[in-house]
Amino acid sequence: MLVKWIRCGVVDRPGFDRGQRGWAALREQSGFRGQGGGWSRAQPGVAHLFAFWDERRSYDAFMAGPHDGMATAQHGTFEMLAVNLFEHRLDVKVGFEPRFADADLLRVALCKVRPERVDHFTLMQQRVWNPAMAGSPGMLRGVFGQGTVNDFLVLSMWNSATEHGKYREGAVSRLSERAELDDDVLSVAGDVVDVEQAWTV
């Protein structure tokens, strides 16, 4: 599975919102599995979107064909666009499906990992982080993906900001130490996203 993460600096929020609802036509595309997103809690005007495809070939065919026509509705509504692609490596909780209807909050992290520590980082995701998140009340599902050689995405879906906050307060520093996170990563950047259900495809 291919995961696409899009970040937009929005200058026309109502126009962007209207345009985002127009992506429902994605459902007709071969290989498309789902899309959703919302607004950053920390950065006003920043929108995050996550799209899921069966594999790279389907995604490339879409980008070469219908994409530009669908995107015209949002021209002029944003001034910054950043796109990252990741190959699925692990589920966070078993049986990940790209569904957003029951999610209130998304947590996304981009980890740049030291090249010599990639194997250890991946192992710790599997043995330390995933079980901890999967066992947290309110954590619905998630995905761990690899981009370029040492860029990794961790996306988790939560049913409420309150439950995510409890996990953050209680577990993150302890788990970071246990997983030797500081030894593995060069940087970690992330955001917390309030889901806009009207954007879900």
Side-chain angles (χ1 to χ4, degrees), residues 33 88 90-99 140-142:
R33 296 188 59 181
H88 172 271
L90 298 168
D91 290 349
V92 184
K93 269 195 174 177
V94 176
F96 176 81
E97 291 291 336
R99 292 183 289 109
L140 302 170
R141 67 190 70 86

Side-chain angles (χ1 to χ4, degrees), residues 51-123:
F52 300 85
W53 295 80
D54 283 339
E55 31 73 34
R56 184 65 183 253
R57 187 175 55 188
S58 300
Y59 169 74
D60 287 344
F62 166 68
M63 292 301 294
H67 173 271
D68 289 356
M70 291 187 194
T72 55
Q74 286 175 301
H75 282 174
T77 64
F78 57 88
E79 59 184 1
M80 177 277 287
L81 179 71
V83 176
N84 295 87
L85 297 173
F86 302 88
E87 291 288 346
H88 172 271
R89 290 286 301 273
L90 298 168
D91 290 349
V92 184
K93 269 195 174 177
V94 176
F96 176 81
E97 291 291 336
R99 292 183 289 109
F100 293 83
D102 54 351
D104 184 58
L105 190 91
L106 309 176
R107 169 72 173 118
V108 57
L110 177 65
C111 305
K112 292 190 177 295
V113 179
R114 301 177 198 277
E116 71 277 10
R117 300 284 292 190
V118 163
D119 289 345
H120 181 266
F121 176 79
T122 304
L123 185 66

Side-chain angles (χ1 to χ4, degrees), residues 119-164:
D119 289 345
H120 181 266
F121 176 79
T122 304
L123 185 66
M124 291 300 98
Q125 184 68 37
Q126 190 171 6
R127 292 187 178 175
V128 176
W129 292 102
N130 284 8
M133 277 196 280
S136 298
M139 192 276 182
L140 302 170
R141 67 190 70 86
V143 64
F144 174 72
Q146 184 170 4
T148 57
V149 176
N150 62 338
D151 281 4
F152 291 84
L153 171 81
V154 185
L155 173 66
S156 55
M157 302 181 178
W158 299 76
N159 66 9
S160 76
T162 302
E163 292 297 343
H164 176 258

